[in-house]
Every structure is written in structure tokens, then in C-alpha cells.
Amino acid sequence: MKIGLDIMGGDYAPEATVLGAIEARKSLSPHQKLVLIGDREIAENILQKNNAGTGDFEFVHTTEVIGMGDHPTKAIVQKPDSSISVGFKLLKEGQIQAFSSAGNTGAMLVGGMFSVKTIPGVTRPAMTTIIPKLKGGMGVLLDVGANADCKPEHLLQFGILGSLLAECVYDMPAPRVALMNIGEEEEKGNLLTQASFPLLKESTQINFVGNIEGRDLFNDAFDIAVCDGFTGNVILKLAESFYVITLKKGLKDEFFARFNYEQYGGSPIMGLNAPVVVGHGISNPEAIKNMVLLSKNMVESNLIEKITQAFHQTN
């Protein structure tokens, strides 16, 4: 197995990404290779300064970087030797089995759809995040930003994608899927949620348990929560602020500590033909390490094959 890591992506790259790669390498087996994609000379200097052997990694040198402010589609086309563009080229050719980056999220979405493309039957890839539960454990929320506007059939597909991620990667048997809404009653919500409810209810591919409200997000009423990307992104950014607020207030609490994005590494882009993970722009070495390990788990679980089979049955 070869896992590709964009070492040029993120606010603190390449220092943080290479240091994260060093830590991730310690958790990988000998047959699992980490491929560092970016400026090889800089990477080797960082490795040497931290007494890490260059022989523990493979390198693919690139000369361009897609910045956080670059237009995603233009950057993918105009910067073919960027670490993100080259990473997706390697992924498409099968030279790596997974690719992760803490760089430009839009470029990661566009790059994935242009290169490895979506799994047949998946109309919209979705991004996920982990939601800590008050009594322990976690839930999965999607979409959290890939699709600001959605149709009912997209939310059904998110339910299927989220269920497979939970089963295969997070070891949740028969995960309960809920629809994020403004009320528990079936008829509540806007046009999107009202039309989505019967689709989710009638599907035999998910374990649908009905609507949940914002106040249910951290309890044990569900395992997978689906919503449009606009709503999901607002929820994600609000949840991330909880951890920051507790730090600023000097509060120490086990529950709020689990809102620390570093623990989860990144957001899988569900629905692509290969494992792709997007990290937070401010990812530090711990987050980079966990992003790499999440990529590894996605490969080992045969998640993409299981999603392909599920959508083949749907069609």
C-alpha cells in the first residue's frame, strides 16, 4: 500500500506536514509506504533536522503549489506540476492507493472529480465530519461543505455513503441515519427536507430513524446525520468553536476536548473512486498524522469497493 501526502498543502506546510509524516510513519507497517509529494529538497532537510531517515519515505518532486486563495478549477488546470495535481495523477494511475492534503479544499474536490471521478451512480461527492457524543462515542455528519445546494436524492445518497463509512471505517454496525431538520415531525422543514424524508424512509439501504433537531446533535439518537452542505458547514464551524472557546476560558472538559479537529485528521470525500481525505487548513503535525492514518484505514477496509457495490445495486 502506498499513501500519498501533499506536503505543500496547509497553512503550516511543509514543516507541519513533514513532521506529521514522521509521526504517521511510526504507525505504519513495513509494507505500507508514505509517498511525500512536493518539494523534495525541503522535505529532506526537515527530515534530516529531525533525525528521520529519508529511506523511510518515497518522494515525488513538484515545483508548483496551489494556494488557499487560488481558484480551484483554474489552479488544477494552470498548475499541472502542483502537489495536488500530481497527487491526483498518481492516484488515477494507481501509483498510490490514497491521497490526502490539508491544502485548498476546492482544488481537492475538483481534482478528485476530474481525475479518479465519482463512483458510478453517485451524483454528488460529500464531505464528512465526526460529531462527538455526550455519553461517549461519535456520530458522522454529511455533507459539511461540498454541496451548498442539494436535491432530495442527494441526501439519500449521503445517507448511504455515511452508513458505509461508519460500518467499514468506524466499526458501527447498522448505523442509524437521521435527517437534520427543524422539528421531529415528518412534515416539518423546508422543501428539501420535506421531500427528502419519504425517500430516506422508503430506502432499504439505510437504517432511517427520522428527523433530528440541532439539540439532538450530541446525544445518542443517531449515528449518521444528513443535511445539505450549507447547513452542515455552519454546524461544523460552530462545533469547532466549542473547543477553542474552552481553551480561551481555561476550561478542561473531556467532552469538549473531543471537538479538537486534530484527533480526526480530516474529512473523507465520499463518493470518489479512490480514498481522498482533506485536512483542516491549520493542521498541525498531529492532525497530519491522523489524516494519513485515516487514509490507510479507508484503503484497508475496502470502502471504495463496498460503495461501488452498493450503488451498483441501486442502479
Side-chain angles (χ1 to χ4, degrees), residues 91-102:
L91 189 63
K92 179 182 179 180
E93 295 173 350
Q95 296 186 54
I96 56 177
Q97 282 68 60
F99 179 50
S100 58
S101 172

Side-chain angles (χ1 to χ4, degrees), residues 86-121:
V86 171
F88 277 116
K89 181 176 182 291
L90 296 172
L91 189 63
K92 179 182 179 180
E93 295 173 350
Q95 296 186 54
I96 56 177
Q97 282 68 60
F99 179 50
S100 58
S101 172
N104 187 306
T105 299
M108 289 294 286
L109 282 164
V110 171
M113 294 182 71
F114 278 8
S115 59
V116 294
K117 305 187 184 309
T118 56
I119 291 169

Side-chain angles (χ1 to χ4, degrees), residues 19 43 133 165:
L19 292 178
K133 298 297 188 69
L165 175 68

Side-chain angles (χ1 to χ4, degrees), residues 20 53 70 76 96 98 127 182 184 204 211 220 262 264:
D70 285 351
I76 288 290
I96 56 177
M127 295 182 65
I182 60 171
E184 295 180 356
T204 58
N211 289 327
D220 197 40
E262 298 170 11
Y264 310 112

Side-chain angles (χ1 to χ4, degrees), residues 22-42:
I22 294 172
E23 292 304 309
R25 173 68 259 178
K26 298 174 183 177
S27 298
L28 299 177
S29 63
H31 74 278
Q32 295 167 338
K33 203 75 174 181
L34 194 49
V35 180
L36 306 186
I37 305 166
D39 191 309
R40 177 168 184 163
E41 183 178 352
I42 292 176

Side-chain angles (χ1 to χ4, degrees), residues 215-233:
R215 62 184 176 187
D216 301 314
L217 197 60
F218 308 114
N219 65 28
D220 197 40
F222 73 100
D223 299 303
I224 313 296
V226 298
C227 60
D228 63 87
F230 184 92
T231 302
N233 193 263

Side-chain angles (χ1 to χ4, degrees), residues 68-85:
M68 292 298 198
D70 285 351
H71 186 281
T73 305
K74 291 181 180 179
I76 288 290
V77 174
Q78 296 173 358
K79 295 183 176 181
D81 200 43
S82 66
S83 48
I84 289 180
S85 297

